[in-house]
Amino acid sequence: MRRAMTALSLLPLLPATARAFDGTAADLPSTTDPTSQAIVAVIIVGVFTLLALEKVHRLLVVISAVVLLWTITYLTPFRLISFGGATRALDLNVLCLLASMMAVVGVLKTTGVFEWAVARMLRFADSDARLLLVALTWFTGALSAFCDNVTTVIFVAPMAVQIARTMGISPAAYLLPVVMASNIGGTATLIGDPPNIMIGSGAGLTFTDFIVNLTPPVVVMLFLLPWISARFYRREFERARLEGAAASAAVPAIADPQLLRWALWISGFIFLGFFTHGITGMPTAVPATIGAGALLVVQDVLYLRTHRPTHEERRHGVLAIVEREIEWPTLSFFGFLFIAVGAAVQTGLIDTLAAALARLIDGGSGAMGLSALGTLLFAALLIAWVSAILSAIIDNIPFVAVMIPIIHLLADRLPGETAVLWWALALGACLGGNGTAVGASANVTALGIAERLGVRISFAQFTRFGAPVMLVTLVVASAFLASQIYLGARTAALAWTSLGIVLLLVKGTRRLAHGMHARAAVVHR
């Protein structure tokens, strides 16, 4: 008894790492001292360095990072992220949404609708590879504005790869512009990208606010994207076999029209759930999971109506979709990456970076002797560009979560229409995702889908195209922010809307003239 009491009396003197093995104390808070933050910073920098070098598979990189974080947490005095903290860092909304939409797309693939759509797009392009590029990017951008950009690339990426293969060019020539278009288009609306949902909630901004303030510059960016892509992949488009492919591509029949009709109705209800999440309170993963489950049941019921399957044939449905169509390595990568970034949040590393940004704005304004409007513009540009750079190397969701209270503080201290700071944050966080292969969830998802289809796009290959796109769109965003500050929000929105209409008319006129010239040449031959 005395020995037991002695042991209990020594318990408070034991280090936290020893007591953490007690089930009731396993979820200890992270330490927020500079050393802990430095350790997490080194680990995260190491993760992205290894991802860039591509010497090790990306999943192994993030698994090793989490193993190192937990080893340090439980065997040293530095508690970087506990197991309980890791579970909170996991974004189940993103993971369930991804898995569910992958399942929906997997069922759609069995209907033959993607082959049908590819043939129709080839016919529409009529021997013009660049027109097909424009059609793909605009379709993706528009869809991404009203659906999550990850959902968009799940639908469009397989089509882009198949079209490129049909024409005999590198799949990257269509796949990467599609990924860029999803991130750009998602910037336009409240529901297009998860950071926008967070910003709208934190700042009290409505769906209409995003449409009015962000859609006009996004339209201009979507005009520039095909132009950049066509020049970057000029050699690929010059050797495209689209003319022969378009002439010979017979439009295949839909393999399972009844299942396709069910899939389209269920997909419509899924998107309705996305649009009405503000009313129902359902996270986007909920309607996606409900829809995926319903569609798998429908697929099985329809199959049983026309077949008497053996035990092995009964595996055709749910197991085939779960085993072959859901990108488990991609989902695992997201999960472990969430934990690594969660350590940066919970140790206060991202807080430290955000506070440094606030001090930099104050110091820069004083050093340059800026006016009130000049200070506001400096703050907006700094927020946009820093957000973009950081979003290119870390997940933008935790960064935006930390920046929201910082923006609130800056808005109270700065003069003028400080709502522009929210648009700066949204533009920087969303557009910065195009900078690297891990800058946005849509990027990782698209590359995972491509890898499953036998197409490998390296980190460096993605960055060579994505970084220039990010820079060009950020220049456009900077001009838009300046116009909002010096012209006012309404005048700026009108000016950028007018610019978008002019570009649309000019592009449409040129395309019409080109089409008439091509048809005249065919008649002459």
Side-chain angles (χ1 to χ4, degrees):
M1 182 70 178
R2 181 177 300 174
R3 184 176 302 172
M5 293 181 61
T6 303
L8 290 173
S9 65
L10 292 175
L11 182 59
L13 302 179
L14 293 176
T17 51
R19 286 181 281 123
F21 291 102
D22 180 7
T24 60
D27 189 14
L28 294 171
S30 298
T31 50
T32 57
D33 58 280
T35 304
S36 297
Q37 294 181 17
I39 294 172
V40 173
V42 169
I43 292 174
I44 290 180
V45 169
V47 165
F48 287 102
T49 300
L50 290 174
L51 290 175
L53 293 176
E54 296 187 308
K55 300 297 184 182
V56 185
H57 193 279
R58 65 174 184 264
L59 180 56
L60 184 58
V61 172
V62 292
I63 289 176
S64 301
V66 172
V67 168
L68 182 58
L69 287 168
W70 277 341
T71 301
I72 295 173
T73 296
Y74 287 105
L75 298 181
T76 76
F78 303 105
R79 299 190 300 275
L80 307 182
I81 184 167
S82 66
F83 187 81
T87 59
R88 290 192 298 273
L90 290 173
D91 194 333
L92 290 181
N93 184 52
V94 171
L95 297 175
C96 291
L97 174 65
L98 283 172
S100 300
M101 295 312 300
M102 287 173 181
V104 170
V105 172
V107 175
L108 281 170
K109 285 169 64 177
T110 66
T111 68
V113 68
F114 289 114
E115 291 80 2
W116 177 86
V118 167
R120 296 294 297 180
M121 293 190 79
L122 288 172
R123 288 285 185 89
F124 167 78
D126 192 23
S127 77
D128 191 340
R130 291 175 177 82
L131 176 59
L132 188 54
L133 173 68
V134 173
L136 271 175
T137 52
W138 274 89
F139 171 75
T140 304
L143 184 60
S144 186
F146 297 99
C147 303
D148 184 85
N149 52 8
V150 174
T151 303
T152 301
V153 298
I154 290 174
F155 277 104
V156 182
M159 297 171 57
V161 171
Q162 186 167 343
I163 289 172
R165 283 174 167 169
T166 301
M167 295 188 299
I169 65 176
S170 169
Y174 281 130
L175 182 63
L176 293 188
V178 159
V179 176
M180 305 295 144
S182 72
N183 291 324
I184 293 172
T187 312
T189 65
L190 174 67
I191 62 174
D193 212 7
N196 284 4
I197 297 175
M198 298 167 62
I199 292 169
S201 176
L205 300 170
T206 66
F207 188 90
T208 304
D209 291 331
F210 276 83
I211 291 287
V212 170
N213 289 280
L214 291 186
T215 299
V218 165
V219 169
V220 174
M221 296 173 196
L222 285 175
F223 272 108
L224 292 174
L225 178 61
W227 180 80
I228 298 170
S229 304
R231 279 151 183 78
F232 189 89
Y233 291 108
R234 182 178 63 257
R235 293 182 180 178
E236 293 289 339
F237 288 120
E238 287 174 352
R239 66 184 181 87
R241 297 197 309 262
L242 184 55
E243 186 170 359
S248 61
V251 179
I254 299 297
D256 193 338
Q258 188 176 15
L259 179 58
L260 177 60
R261 284 193 293 271
W262 275 98
L264 292 177
W265 276 106
I266 291 173
S267 296
F269 282 112
I270 291 174
F271 292 140
L272 181 63
F274 292 164
F275 299 150
T276 59
H277 73 93
I279 300 174
T280 63
M282 289 192 300
T284 52
V286 174
T289 305
I290 293 172
L295 187 54
L296 288 171
V297 171
V298 168
Q299 180 192 36
D300 205 58
V301 170
L302 293 179
Y303 185 81
L304 290 176
R305 284 182 179 178
T306 56
H307 295 77
R308 291 184 177 179
T310 65
H311 175 73
E312 287 302 317
E313 289 175 324
R314 290 288 285 123
R315 296 168 59 88
H316 84 283
V318 61
L319 293 183
I321 297 298
V322 170
E323 292 174 359
R324 301 175 187 174
E325 301 299 336
I326 296 180
E327 298 283 341
W328 294 112
T330 300
L331 295 178
S332 300
F333 174 80
F334 273 123
F336 286 105
L337 186 61
F338 285 149
I339 295 173
V341 176
V345 174
Q346 295 179 26
T347 57
L349 175 61
I350 292 182
D351 281 316
T352 300
L353 296 175
L357 174 62
R359 291 194 299 270
L360 184 59
I361 291 174
D362 288 338
S365 175
M368 291 184 285
L370 297 176
S371 64
L373 291 181
T375 301
L376 186 59
L377 177 60
F378 176 68
L381 294 180
L382 192 61
I383 290 170
W385 284 82
V386 170
S387 299
I389 293 170
L390 290 179
S391 294
I393 59 175
I394 65 172
D395 190 271
N396 52 17
I397 292 175
F399 174 79
V400 168
V402 173
M403 282 301 298
I404 287 174
I406 299 296
I407 300 298
H408 273 298
L409 293 175
L410 291 175
D412 292 338
R413 296 172 56 185
L414 293 173
E417 295 293 332
T418 53
V420 70
L421 300 180
W422 297 112
W423 309 132
L425 179 60
L427 288 165
C430 296
L431 299 176
N434 282 331
T436 67
V438 295
S441 302
N443 305 3
V444 180
T445 303
L447 295 186
I449 293 172
E451 191 171 351
R452 181 176 287 270
L453 296 173
V455 178
R456 184 179 180 278
I457 298 176
S458 68
F459 190 99
Q461 184 180 358
F462 188 102
T463 303
R464 279 196 299 270
F465 177 71
V469 171
M470 181 188 78
L471 292 175
V472 170
T473 54
L474 281 175
V475 169
V476 174
S478 299
F480 166 73
L481 294 172
S483 67
Q484 275 223 327
I485 291 172
Y486 287 102
L487 299 179
R490 291 184 178 180
T491 305
L494 179 61
W496 283 84
T497 301
S498 302
L499 177 59
I501 294 173
V502 169
L503 289 174
L504 180 63
L505 293 175
V506 170
K507 191 70 174 179
T509 303
R510 288 182 178 178
R511 183 59 60 187
L512 179 62
H514 177 76
M516 293 175 65
H517 177 75
R519 282 190 288 271
V522 171
V523 172
H524 179 72
R525 288 198 297 267

